[in-house]
Amino acid sequence: MSLIANCFRRLTETSTKNEFKGYKVTDVNRVRKIGVACRSLHELKRKACAKLNITNDPDEINIYLLDGSLIDEEEYFSTLKPQTTLILQKPGEKVLTDADLLYDILRRVNIDFLIAGEKASEFLTENFKAKVAVLYNALNKDDSKTAFSSRGEHPEWFHGLETNCTSKEAYLHRRCQDRIRGYLYKTIDQIKSSDVFTKDPRARKQLLYAIAFFKMQLKEDHYFGYYFDRSRAKSEALEGADELDSSSCYDHCPCRLKWLDDSTYFRLFGAMEQFDDTDGVKKRNGRSSDTKTEEEEAEESCPYKIRRKAKKACIALCDHTGEFRCYGMWNEDKCSYPDKHKINPYRSKEELVLFSTWNFDHKIEKSRSIIPSLLKLASQGNTNESDLIEIYDNLFTMKNLRLVHIVCHDKSSHK
């Protein structure tokens, strides 16, 4: 399908996207569950906030699947099945991951049924890192279904996952994108809560340009979903693939895009325009087209250009089977436990759950070093494109990230 035809389809295909669908919505505590019928993600947020008596601006609300996947685009939201259960998150709240829920279940079982067992109590309530190690050693290491990819081939791997992904590769691709999106949202929150952003108009404009660039470049880079995608594992087939062809790189990538100029890119994918059929008034994310936020204005006039990435540079962090190995602590050349700190989330549902305890560790710290340096540059009026690219790479790429086992994730100050 041509680029023009594809764009036209995305803008005009309203028959399925604008029909009412019913969803189940709960809060981060999962205590109360309500039903919401809506046509769009924005409408779902608005109605859910009203029913749950939440006074926050719907634009400040995030929506997650039960597996922790963030629903942040209308395009992705439209693919969800009716009656999918969704989690509504207010600013500052934490959505529990699969690993958090697993640990909480174990803790509750301990409290309710194992009070008399002192040793069991110690295991289930103390020393979380050691507990994870014991759980990992107890996993079934049956490799007979590791190579299977589809839901039909390995249904138990997909059991309980509320996702429209039909392959393991697509699901883990999306989960990695969610992690990188999390870094983007935390970066934006820290920037906007700073005195530099709120009190210095000149610096504020520069920071809005920086945020726009981060969003634009991350979409170009597919939010680095290929880091967890074993179909992008290093191989001879990829060595000679140096053409710039995003669509053929990621057949299952949920953010597949064609190369577009910046203005078309933002118009179609940055802030998708919506149309109200009742009065013919064009709207932008629920607002009339003559009202633009500062972020939208910055996106449209952003002076920084995105970088194209060669296909051969998009290589997964795992091998072709899906096995990941720990990179070691941030100040070490390699992991001190190479035989123990490895995992294959493609093997079983249990290892998939445990894989969520592995983290990306910033060698140069995001909150303590990278973002403060950006704020300083903006306050001095010295932000240039090369500085911004360096900051982007340190925030979101393997230039500064290390995938680590929970034991090797040092959360203390990196000095």
Side-chain angles (χ1 to χ4, degrees), residues 126-169:
E126 298 178 4
N127 200 345
F128 176 66
K129 293 181 179 180
K131 178 187 72 64
V132 169
V134 172
L135 284 175
Y136 177 74
N137 290 331
L139 290 177
N140 176 17
K141 298 299 181 66
D142 181 8
D143 281 323
S144 62
K145 294 187 177 182
T146 302
F148 292 161
S149 176
S150 70
R151 188 186 294 267
E153 292 174 317
H154 198 169
E156 57 269 29
W157 192 93
F158 290 88
H159 181 71
L161 300 181
E162 292 198 6
T163 176
N164 63 325
C165 295
T166 58
S167 70
K168 297 177 183 179
E169 292 80 8

Side-chain angles (χ1 to χ4, degrees), residues 64-132:
Y64 289 83
L65 291 173
L66 292 179
D67 63 15
S69 297
L70 176 66
I71 309 300
D72 61 343
E73 298 169 349
E74 292 287 354
E75 194 76 13
Y76 183 42
F77 177 74
S78 67
T79 66
L80 299 180
K81 296 179 181 179
Q83 299 307 312
T84 297
T85 299
L86 304 171
I87 302 173
L88 184 149
Q89 177 207 41
K90 294 185 292 184
E93 292 183 331
K94 179 182 178 181
V95 175
L96 294 179
T97 66
D98 291 343
D100 293 326
L101 291 175
L102 174 62
Y103 176 68
D104 189 57
I105 289 172
L106 290 172
R107 184 179 60 82
R108 291 177 185 276
V109 168
N110 165 58
I111 292 174
D112 294 340
F113 301 106
L114 301 176
I115 292 296
E118 182 178 354
K119 292 185 180 297
S121 176
E122 292 175 355
F123 168 69
L124 292 171
T125 59
E126 298 178 4
N127 200 345
F128 176 66
K129 293 181 179 180
K131 178 187 72 64
V132 169

